[in-house]
Each structure stands twice: as structure tokens, then as C-alpha cells.
Amino acid sequence: MCGIVGYVGSGNAREIIIDGLKKLEYRGYDSAGIAVIQQGKILLRKHVGGIANLENLIGDDPMTSGTGIGHTRWATHGAPSDINAHPHLNGDGTIAVVHNGIIENYLELREMLAQEYGVKFRSETDSEVIAHLIGVYYTGDLEEAVYQAVGRMRGAYAISVIAADEPEKIVAVRKDAPLIAGLGKGANFIASDIPALLKYVKEIYLIENNETVVLTPDSVKIYDENRNQVHRDVFHVTWDADAAEKEGYDHFMLKEIYEQPKSLYETLTRRLNEDGTIKLDGISMGREELEQFGKIYIVACGTAYHAGLVGKYVIEKLAKLPVEVDVASEFRYRDPFVDDKTLFIAISQSGETLDTLAALREAKSKGARVLSIVNVVGSSVARESDDVFYTWAGPEIAVASTKAYTTQLMCLYLIGLYMGFVRGTITREFHDQFIADLKEIPDKLKAYLKQAGMIEGLSKMLYNKEQVFFIGRGLDSSVSYEGSLKLKEISYINSSAFAAGELKHGPIALIEPGTLVIALATQDALYEKMLSNIQEVKARGAHVMSVAKEGNTAIEAQSNEVMYIPSCRDELTPLLSVAPLQLFSYYVARERGCNIDKPKNLAKSVTVE
Ligand code: AGP
């Protein structure tokens, strides 16, 4: 997702737009730009990196103008760079566009514009197509040109457009991406989200899908897709700017937990062909290449490493390929066995974790094929990989990783399925059923999150525990490690995770009356064994909070509380079972008054050894 801001009025467009973009950096921050209309021309400034880089580029240039648009980018098509940054111009620089979303048919439009109009493209982006499309339709009426252009576009987009010949106008369109209009006095605003405007206006129009907005200093008119003007009630904003960035949530972490159904849906659906098979965009490995691999390493740090633990299980089960998972800081110093028959999978939200990057370089130097699962487009890990499979989680601001983790899992399921299908280790029927089950997960998670209020209550009761154990078997043990890290890193409680079968080999010595044990028991095949492990710790006075599939009520007799998750096939439970653990950690940390989004001693991206 990206941030859009536009202004038309008697004020200083440059100042107002830059200020608004800063409030939208949580929507994307890998590049930024601004375009204003000055004496019949469009003045464009844009730069890779955060908005500070853009301000440095602008320097003391007042860019005097009352009309302009700005953009802060979260790259999807085309790595972060000056030329890929928005705004984009048409050929003669008389039209400027900023865009949030994805134009699905941009390649065919690009080809048509080049062939029929001789358009020369400057960037790798889908968004630049919009500027040229409007440009070829423009004959002095910006609304008309935008309507014509939008009629050719498919995908999700919120766009704002200015034309040099119409200096007191902005035209904006919304389709499946957020857009609002701010109502000022002698000035009006357009933006992706409320925080950008709160400093200036409290009265806004919420723009609906397929609507076009025409803004001048004295009017904001909204039109439906049939070009009929529509009335819109004024929405009075009552919350402050800080709350608005979090869209009303108290912390980015909670917002990002609740964004998971959407980010899972985005990560999955873009990879499904019409016939239900998987298209691994960014991965160019077919059967013959897959056949050559004798071993797979999954290497990462922290939460990404925990995703790799699930990935091992999934790929070994579906593709029948041996997988070894390692933390990057260990992998790079143990002289691992790697050759040209090795597939090295790096997982990294930021794509800048130095340990992971160094491990990747080590594997590459020994001939491995490198595939990375990354959230930040164009990051170092992505750039140094042979293949990149992006998680479409959008910017993850909270230090504690949540939606990046579950979208990493989604990518690993898709990779495992694809490999299994191409290698013939799973049938088409199994593949199709697995995909059908995956498709149900976003709605199941959404339903779960809607009724997760009980977890807040549990956290109020248990937040003062000074040590907590997470236990599970199979996939549940992998998720236990992630649950323990979440609790540890934001509430500072000394939590540990163990494979439940390991309790009797030592850790059970730590169980005392009142020790909190969080037991994950979602795997049907291991359910009975988990009940025994729960009895073991219960017998020693532990307070047991279990996580189980809906309907498995036998666990209630052994547990103090049970957090039920929607039922699904065993392989997919990590996508759901991690949610109660994320929420429990969040509410416990809140009860303990911790700095949830920025925990002490931690950074969002660890770019040091
Ligand atoms: C997870 O909540 C932590 N923020 C941390 O463990 C993180 O997962 C780790 O540093 C790896 O970061 P990356 O995914 O950006 O490489």
C-alpha cells in the first residue's frame, strides 16, 4: 500500500503535501515524490528513500504553487528507485499521476501505448501507464480524459491527477483502494487516509468505490461510475492524528494482527491461476530444476526462522524433499554442506537482516540456488536472490512481527504445494483440496479475531506471571516457539518453548504450582499425546491455558482455560493457532505497561551482526 496526498487552494501546496506524506509513511516509505503546477508547467521532485530524502532534494526551493499531488511508496512493481517513485508524468510532462494499488492489465496497456502512440516509458512501474493513458486521451478536459483512461484499466487503484493546463483542479478516482477528500475553506484536499489531513481539516468525504472526485479550491464534487453527481454526507473526524495512523487501534501491532486476514488473502489470491494451479510469480523453477535439488536449507532469524520451522514440515510432507532449517547466525559459521544441488530459502520481512544476508551470500558462494521470501520489495535480500517470492503483507511497523509471519507461512505452503505438484509427489486432487482449504483461512481467521475478546480477559488474569512455558508437538511446537518469542519480546516475561515430548527430559523440573503453561493441541494425530503432556504439568500444579480446534472439548477437563480456533486441516493450523498467542502477548504487554510497538533494546530490522 502507498500514501497519496493532494491539495488545491491558496496555501503552500508543497508544505501541506510533504506534511501529509509524513503522516502516511506507515503506508509505505521506500520512495516519495511531489508534483505541483507552477506557471503552466508541472514541477516534479521525487527520490528513493524516505520523505527526508525528498525534502533534501527539494532543499530551499519553495516550489510555490497552490496545486499539487504527492506520494509515498511501498513498491510492488519495480524496485524502489528515483525513476520508479511517484508522481509519474505523461510524455510531454503536462499530466502528473500518483497511484496506490495495482493495475493488473498494465503490460497490455504498456504495449498498446508504445505501439499505437509511440510512448516511451521511463520506469518499470504499472503506475506510469496511467499517466500516459490519461495523456493520450487528454484534449483539455481532465475529467473526461481520466474517465476514458480508467475505463481501460483493470485492478485496484486510488489515483490523483493534475494537468498543467488546468492549474486549479485535481481529479481523483477510487477503485478498491482507500481515498478521502478533505473539505477546507478556499482549499480542498485528497488523501489515502485521514492522518494526512487532520492537521488542516476535520470534515471529510469518504469516497466510495468507482467514484470520481473533482476538486477545486471552492468545490469538491463526487460522481458515480455513470458520471452522475452524487451527494455525500460530511464525515466529522473526532480522533487525533496518532490514533488515525493506527486506524483507531491503540498500537500498530494490534492493527497488524487484525490485518492478517487481508494480507493472507492478498498473498494467496495473486498466486492462483484461473485453473486453480499456483503461479509462483518471481520464481522460475520448473520440474527439471526442482528435480536437481538434493537438499533445501531454510535460513532466517527470529520470527522468520519460526516460519521456516513450519516450512520444513510443509515442504518435506508435500514435496518429499529433505529440508534443514537453521538460524542465520549459526548457519554462516558452521561451514554447512552446500553445493549446486542445494536450494537455499532465505526468509526475511525487512530483507535487510545482516545475519540472513550473510548466510545467503555464503550459500551463493558455494553454488546454491537462492530463493527468498521477503516483504520489502527491492530489499538487499531480494536483490541478491535468484528468485524472490514476496509476501504481500504491506508495511509492518510494529517491531513484533505478526502479519509478516503468517504471510511467510502462506508463501511456504504455496511453495511446498507447487513443488509437490510439479514433482508429482502429490495428486491434483490433493493439490486442489489443499488450495480450497487455504482459501478458507482468511475468513476463518477474520471470524476468529472478531470474537477474541476472551483473550484480553485472560491476559488481565495472567499478566503478572514471571515465567511462562509454551509446549506443543509437530507443527504446534513450531508455533510454540513463535508464541514464546512474541510474549518475550514485548512483555519482557521470561518465556520458553519446548517440544512437549521434551518436558520429561528436563524442563518439567521447572514446573511449580501456578506456573503458566500454554499448551498447543491442534494436531489431530497428536491430540491424545498432548493431553498426556498437559496432565503431566497439571499434576505438578501448572496453570494450563490450551489452544485447540473447535469441538475438541476433551481438553477442557485438563485445562484451566481453552482458546479454541476454527477447525481446519492439521497442516494449516499454524495460520490460525498463532493468532491467540499474538493477542495474548499483546494484551499482557499492555497490562504490564510495556512499549508494545517499540520494545526496549529491539529494532525492526537488525542490520548488525
Ligand atoms: C520478530 O517479532 C522480531 N522482530 C525479530 O525476531 C525478527 O523476526 C528478526 O529480527 C528477523 O527480521 P527479518 O524478518 O526482517 O529478517
Side-chain angles (χ1 to χ4, degrees):
M1 57 187 176
C2 305
I4 289 176
V5 182
Y7 173 81
V8 57
S10 53
N12 180 329
R14 187 209 79 171
E15 182 186 312
I16 292 166
I17 290 168
I18 295 291
D19 190 55
L21 291 176
K22 286 178 180 175
K23 297 289 187 295
L24 297 183
E25 278 202 297
Y26 71 91
R27 300 181 61 82
Y29 41 74
D30 60 46
S31 51
I34 180 173
V36 299
I37 299 176
Q38 199 178 66
Q39 290 151 5
K41 293 190 183 324
I42 287 181
L43 194 52
L44 173 67
R45 295 284 183 278
K46 57 185 186 176
H47 200 287
V48 68
I51 290 163
N53 288 13
L54 175 62
E55 289 187 290
N56 291 338
L57 175 70
I58 295 170
D60 299 331
D61 180 351
M63 296 183 75
T64 308
S65 174
T67 304
I69 53 176
H71 185 272
T72 183
R73 186 173 183 235
W74 181 260
T76 54
H77 289 76
S81 66
D82 295 354
I83 197 63
N84 285 339
H86 301 211
H88 288 286
L89 303 181
N90 67 327
D92 63 6
T94 55
I95 304 278
V97 174
V98 289
H99 167 225
N100 174 28
I102 285 190
I103 305 303
E104 290 168 1
N105 62 329
Y106 83 99
L107 288 175
E108 64 185 75
L109 291 172
R110 213 178 150 101
E111 197 174 320
M112 179 274 291
L113 288 162
Q115 285 177 2
E116 295 179 25
Y117 296 92
V119 166
K120 298 273 183 291
F121 287 90
R122 306 177 184 97
S123 77
E124 308 160 294
T125 67
D126 56 338
S127 307
E128 186 189 351
V129 165
I130 305 170
H132 292 293
L133 206 51
I134 294 169
V136 300
Y137 288 126
Y138 186 73
T139 55
D141 179 340
L142 188 54
E143 293 100 297
E144 177 59 29
V146 170
Y147 270 114
Q148 295 289 334
V150 162
R152 299 289 300 266
M153 292 157 40
R154 282 201 319 275
Y157 47 85
I159 62 174
S160 292
V161 192
I162 55 175
D165 294 347
E166 299 181 60
E168 292 203 335
K169 183 183 287 181
I170 296 176
V171 177
V173 183
R174 173 189 175 167
K175 182 176 179 298
D176 297 333
L179 196 65
I180 58 169
L183 310 176
K185 293 191 176 19
N188 288 300
F189 305 72
I190 194 83
S192 303
D193 201 355
I194 291 172
L197 311 178
L198 267 187
K199 182 176 172 184
Y200 307 97
V201 292
K202 292 274 189 181
E203 297 193 332
I204 65 170
Y205 286 146
L206 300 173
I207 308 305
E208 304 296 335
N209 245 6
N210 300 314
E211 288 184 339
T212 297
V213 198
V214 180
L215 301 96
T216 66
D218 305 312
S219 71
V220 177
K221 292 180 179 165
I222 304 174
Y223 301 87
D224 66 18
E225 54 195 315
N226 301 314
R227 305 181 74 168
N228 302 314
Q229 190 170 349
V230 298
H231 169 74
R232 186 58 36 82
D233 291 338
V234 173
F235 177 84
H236 298 273
V237 182
T238 55
W239 58 73
D240 65 23
D242 183 51
E245 277 184 54
K246 303 179 184 85
E247 293 176 7
Y249 290 99
D250 289 341
H251 298 93
F252 278 113
M253 182 181 178
L254 191 59
K255 173 172 174 273
E256 288 154 8
I257 288 171
Y258 277 82
E259 281 179 341
Q260 290 182 115
K262 179 174 179 293
S263 52
L264 282 171
Y265 175 80
E266 296 280 335
T267 302
L268 172 61
T269 49
R270 290 183 199 179
R271 272 84 183 228
L272 296 181
N273 293 312
E274 296 291 317
D275 66 358
T277 55
I278 296 167
K279 60 181 170 187
L280 293 191
D281 51 331
I283 298 181
S284 57
M285 283 184 279
R287 173 191 289 276
E288 60 289 344
E289 284 161 303
L290 285 174
E291 292 293 5
Q292 68 165 342
F293 294 128
K295 173 158 192 154
I296 296 177
Y297 279 108
I298 301 179
V299 176
C301 301
T303 288
Y305 165 72
H306 297 149
L309 294 174
V310 174
K312 167 184 170 65
Y313 177 96
V314 169
I315 295 174
E316 287 188 341
K317 181 179 172 73
L318 299 182
K320 301 294 182 261
L321 274 169
V323 179
E324 186 173 340
V325 191
D326 209 347
V327 290
S329 55
E330 289 296 302
F331 177 86
R332 54 188 293 216
Y333 294 114
R334 61 182 177 86
D335 193 17
F337 177 78
V338 175
D339 64 11
D340 60 0
K341 299 284 185 290
T342 304
L343 174 62
F344 179 94
I345 300 179
I347 306 176
S348 176
Q349 189 284 130
S350 63
E352 300 300 341
T353 300
L354 185 58
D355 282 330
T356 306
L357 195 53
L360 178 159
R361 289 167 178 163
E362 162 104 5
K364 206 164 183 178
S365 69
K366 293 185 172 181
R369 172 86 177 241
V370 175
L371 159 61
S372 62
I373 298 173
V374 176
N375 196 38
V376 179
V377 174
S379 54
S380 303
V381 169
R383 286 199 310 274
E384 297 190 28
S385 300
D386 299 307
D387 301 283
V388 185
F389 200 46
Y390 285 113
T391 52
W392 296 119
E396 186 176 69
I397 307 299
V399 166
S401 187
T402 52
K403 62 178 184 173
Y405 172 75
T406 46
T407 51
Q408 287 160 0
L409 296 188
M410 181 59 83
C411 289
L412 288 160
Y413 285 119
L414 291 168
I415 289 168
L417 266 178
Y418 176 84
M419 288 182 168
F421 187 57
V422 168
R423 288 167 47 87
T425 47
I426 58 173
T427 64
R428 177 64 193 253
E429 185 189 5
F430 177 95
H431 167 279
D432 293 352
Q433 183 55 57
F434 204 101
I435 291 284
D437 295 340
L438 266 178
K439 282 179 172 177
E440 292 179 356
I441 292 295
D443 284 342
K444 285 187 173 182
L445 181 57
K446 192 171 186 176
Y448 171 76
L449 290 172
K450 267 195 186 135
Q451 55 77 52
M454 69 169 280
I455 294 177
E456 186 173 357
L458 287 175
S459 66
K460 288 185 191 302
M461 184 173 67
L462 300 168
Y463 74 93
N464 55 359
K465 296 290 183 182
E466 287 316 316
Q467 70 173 356
V468 179
F469 297 138
F470 291 75
I471 62 171
R473 287 175 175 262
L475 281 170
D476 284 337
S477 71
S478 305
V479 178
S480 295
Y481 294 119
E482 175 55 14
S484 176
L485 175 61
K486 286 283 96 47
L487 186 64
K488 181 186 289 128
E489 69 174 325
I490 64 173
S491 71
Y492 315 138
I493 289 174
N494 181 9
S495 70
S496 308
F498 307 102
E502 275 296 284
L503 274 172
K504 55 189 176 296
H505 299 290
I508 201 161
L510 291 172
I511 304 295
E512 293 171 349
T515 300
L516 176 56
V517 174
I518 298 176
L520 278 71
T522 71
Q523 302 298 289
D524 296 341
L526 298 166
Y527 185 66
E528 294 304 324
K529 289 247 182 283
M530 273 308 295
L531 291 184
S532 306
N533 290 133
I534 292 169
Q535 282 167 348
E536 279 172 38
V537 296
K538 202 84 176 84
R540 290 161 177 79
H543 181 117
V544 177
M545 187 165 77
S546 298
V547 178
K549 283 180 189 172
E550 281 166 353
N552 289 354
T553 53
I555 201 165
E556 288 178 15
Q558 319 293 343
S559 310
N560 294 75
E561 300 88 19
V562 181
M563 296 187 285
Y564 285 109
I565 61 171
S567 188
C568 68
R569 65 187 303 156
D570 273 7
E571 299 93 333
L572 298 181
T573 58
L575 290 168
L576 299 173
S577 62
V578 74
L581 309 185
Q582 293 168 341
L583 287 171
F584 181 73
S585 303
Y586 170 80
Y587 287 117
V588 165
R590 197 180 68 173
E591 284 302 314
R592 293 168 70 99
C594 298
N595 182 340
I596 292 172
D597 285 336
K598 296 191 173 86
K600 67 180 180 182
N601 309 334
L602 295 179
K604 185 56 186 169
S605 178
V606 183
T607 56
V608 294
E609 279 220 54

